[in-house]
Amino acid sequence: MHRTVIKRGNLPDIPSPCTGVCSMDMSNEYCVGCFRTRLEIGGWIHLSNEEKLAVIKTLRARRKAHQD
């Protein structure tokens, strides 16, 4: 039986969560489209996949809090 080993380093980068609605809500300093801060937007390309997943988890919580 042949097994395929998947290496983490070979996985593609997680794409940006940008929705194309790029406008900062200055009252909470998040983009109204993707809910990222300016630092998260600017630093996205420098993050590891693990860090990107952590940001995405934070974005989900921000979006949920905004909807409530």
Side-chain angles (χ1 to χ4, degrees), residues 21-64:
V21 179
C22 304
S23 178
M24 296 302 287
D25 179 350
M26 298 314 287
S27 65
N28 60 23
E29 299 182 4
Y30 302 141
C31 172
V32 297
C34 68
F35 289 89
R36 289 183 293 170
T37 65
R38 290 176 187 229
L39 288 175
E40 291 166 340
I41 292 167
W44 185 261
I45 62 170
H46 303 291
L47 298 177
S48 68
N49 278 344
E50 290 79 17
E51 291 168 323
K52 289 177 181 179
L53 288 173
V55 170
I56 289 172
K57 184 176 178 179
T58 301
L59 301 180
R60 289 179 181 155
R62 286 179 192 156
R63 186 175 292 116
K64 186 173 192 279

Side-chain angles (χ1 to χ4, degrees), residues 1-6:
M1 174 185 260
H2 179 71
R3 290 187 176 188
T4 302
V5 176
I6 299 174

